[in-house]
Structures are given as C-alpha cells and as structure tokens.
Amino acid sequence: MNTGVTQLLSDPERTFSAQELAALAAYFRVVMFDTLHDRGTGHWGGAASSAELTTSLYFNRMHIRTNDPHWEDRDRLILSKGHASMNLYTILAHRGFFPVEELATFRKLDSRLQGHPCMQKIPGVDMSTGALGHGISVGLGMALAAKLNKRSYWTYVIVGEGCLNEGQSWEAIMSAAKFKPEHFVLMVDYNKVQLDGTEDEIMPLASLSDKLSSFGWNVCPNAYDGNKTEDILASYEWMDKDNVWPKAVIYDTIKGKGISFTEGKSSWHGAVIDDDSYAKGIVELKKDLQNKEAVL
Ligand SMILES: Cc1ncc(C[n+]2csc(CCOP(=O)(O)OP(=O)(O)O)c2C)c(N)n1
C-alpha cells in the first residue's frame, strides 16, 4: 500500500480536496481490479466508470456516520447500476463501514458481499440494487419521506444508460417533477456503453439533457467530466446554487476507465480478468496512482 493514500485514509472524517479525491479514486481502482481478478468474477467496466463519482460523494460531500449506518439524518446514495457493486463495496470498506479485508470474500458463498448490493446485510448500503431501473423510484420515495418527516438529508441516485432505458425510470422522473422534493439529485454516469454494445446500438437516449428538462427537471447546463474530481466538485456548487428541484447532472464518463484496453469497451462490462490482462492492466493503474500521489 502506498504512503500517500494511506495517510489520507487514516483520517476519513475530513473533507478531501479534488487532488486528494483523484488519488483515492486511483487507489480504489487498483483495489477493485485486484479483487475482481482474484475472485475471477464481477463487473470492472461500470465500477471503473463511477469511481470518481462515488469517491467524491463519500469522501467530500455526504453526511454519514460509519458507526451508525442507519442514522436517520444521513444522506442517501442509491447506486442504481448495482452491477458496479465492487465500486460501492470498495468505497464503503475504506470509508469505515466494514473491514477492508472482507472485500476478498466478494461473491463467495455466505459472503455479505454478493454480486449485487444487499441493504439488509451490508452496513452503508442504502438500497439493494441490480435490477436496472428501480433507483430513481426508490430515491424519490426517500426524498419524499424526508419532506414528510421534515428532515433535510440529501438523496443521490447514480444511474447508467441501462437504468434510463427502463420505463419505470421515466415514471419516476415524471413523478419527481410533480412532487419536487428538495435535495433530490439524479447523477447520470453517462459512459455511453452498455453490457453488449454502445448506447446508440442498444437504445439511444439523445438528447438526454433536453428530455429531462422537458419532463420538468432542473438539469445542469454545464458539461462535466465525471472522471475528473475538479468537475465533480464544481457540480456540487451547482447543486447548492438554487432551490429548484429535482436536479439532474449528466457526467461524461468512460467505461473501464484507467486501462487503455478496457476503456470504452462493452466486452469489459463483466468479463473475467484473465492473468494476462491483469498483468498489463495493473501496471497502468499503478502508474496513474503514482502520478496522482506525486502531486499531493
Ligand atoms: C432490468 C434489467 N435488465 C437487464 C439487466 C442486465 N444488465 C446488467 S448491467 C446492464 C447494462 C448496464 O449498462 P449501464 O447502465 O450503461 O451501466 P455501466 O455502463 O455504467 O456499467 C444490463 C443490461 C439488469 N441488470 N436488469
């Protein structure tokens, strides 16, 4: 383990800068790739895509208590693209919800860390996900509950294109525009690649921003790179700017981000990481981590 990131993780309570978040995300990619290779199963492409989005939320933005995962006033995150569970597990473990060593049990029989996250078993998981398309509905329910109970927690929902291809998502998008709960944010991890093809081959969403606006959402007009932590922090400023709800931010991301031969490839959605690919890929990820730590 590298000293720079070790030092950062020794005090997860503080708020991290963009550069620090970038180093953490690079480190988490190494852990994810290692673990998925060791276990011979799981989804690298989508987990690598959302690494900066989840790292920034949990290490900069969200109010949570790792020693009280069900704290009523905590901010909620629904990773609606539940197949990227290794991303969520890696963040939650390093944030302190459960031991990092437990990651090695990923998808073993009797492990809490199954292929898709289970809220009943894993501390810190706010919603069980995996069947695409449920996240926005459930998030809306949580946001409406906050309104009814006069609480001011935030609810974030991260979706990929797969969720937005589901009809249920658009029912929830329509309902959210009607009820307008505060502090409800849709974050689109828009990598434009799905399980076995590109967005355009499977079901084009264009123009997503216009679609969400015409449904009545407050859509961020800025183009943000969801693999750049500076951009993600800038998007938080936009979220805090006005009181017009619900809000959506569309982040451009890269599926399989961090390794040249996995980037943008649907074949790396859920492929087993063979030894040869691991040997080449881990060199690229460690180099990126070194570069990010060097500027800390
Ligand atoms: C209802 C449903 N249909 C199909 C699947 C199978 N499936 C798992 S992931 C996926 C594609 C997801 O692509 P995207 O949402 O773009 O996620 P990412 O690229 O971030 O991995 C599909 C079709 C599923 N999990 N749920």
Side-chain angles (χ1 to χ4, degrees), residues 46 49 81 83 130-132 160-163 166 189 191 193-195 255 269:
S49 176
K81 36 173 274 183
H83 56 281
L132 298 173
E161 304 89 67
C163 281
E166 300 287 341
D189 175 357
N191 60 40
V193 178
Q194 302 192 29
L195 183 154
K255 189 149 179 157
H269 170 81

Side-chain angles (χ1 to χ4, degrees), residues 26-250:
Y27 177 71
F28 295 148
R29 272 203 186 85
V30 171
V31 174
M32 295 193 295
F33 199 64
D34 262 343
T35 311
L36 294 174
H37 168 249
D38 282 352
R39 295 293 307 116
T41 180
H43 294 81
W44 163 250
S49 176
S50 51
E52 281 79 12
L53 290 178
T54 51
T55 302
S56 302
L57 280 174
Y58 278 96
F59 286 87
N60 178 280
R61 175 87 179 164
M62 287 170 64
H63 295 102
I64 46 172
R65 289 182 183 163
T66 54
N67 59 0
D68 185 8
H70 297 291
W71 176 42
E72 279 204 60
D73 287 318
R74 74 189 185 283
D75 293 336
R76 273 83 167 155
L77 169 71
I78 298 158
L79 183 67
S80 194
K81 36 173 274 183
H83 56 281
S85 58
M86 181 44 66
N87 179 206
L88 185 61
Y89 296 158
T90 302
I91 303 284
L92 293 179
H94 288 85
R95 191 67 181 76
F97 281 100
F98 58 85
V100 170
E101 296 70 42
E102 200 172 331
L103 292 174
T105 70
F106 178 64
R107 268 190 163 172
K108 284 190 179 169
L109 278 182
D110 296 328
S111 168
R112 296 192 288 185
L113 308 185
Q114 288 305 301
H116 296 79
C118 173
M119 66 192 283
Q120 275 125 352
K121 295 196 173 152
I122 313 165
V125 172
D126 287 313
M127 184 62 207
S128 305
T129 50
L132 298 173
H134 294 175
I136 307 175
S137 302
V138 176
L140 173 61
M142 290 178 183
L144 289 173
K147 191 172 172 181
L148 283 174
N149 296 326
K150 303 199 179 350
R151 297 190 178 275
S152 54
Y153 61 77
W154 287 63
T155 305
Y156 303 93
V157 181
I158 298 183
V159 296
E161 304 89 67
C163 281
L164 292 171
N165 284 172
E166 300 287 341
Q168 181 179 343
S169 293
W170 294 95
E171 292 179 46
I173 287 166
M174 202 161 42
S175 307
K178 172 177 163 68
F179 295 110
K180 304 189 187 335
E182 292 190 358
H183 306 137
F184 184 44
V185 186
L186 175 64
M187 303 171 78
V188 183
D189 175 357
Y190 199 19
N191 60 40
K192 299 158 208 79
V193 178
Q194 302 192 29
L195 183 154
D196 54 359
T198 63
E199 172 206 344
D200 284 342
E201 287 163 341
I202 297 192
M203 183 59 71
L205 287 166
S207 158
L208 183 55
S209 176
D210 293 343
K211 281 193 174 80
L212 289 168
S213 299
S214 69
F215 269 71
W217 281 57
N218 182 6
V219 184
C220 182
N222 309 328
Y224 289 126
D225 181 335
N227 295 123
K228 279 214 175 96
T229 50
E230 292 85 357
D231 279 23
I232 297 169
L233 297 192
S235 75
Y236 295 163
E237 285 179 29
W238 177 82
M239 287 175 199
D240 290 335
K241 222 171 57 179
D242 62 32
N243 212 28
V244 183
W245 307 95
K247 298 190 185 196
V249 186
I250 302 168

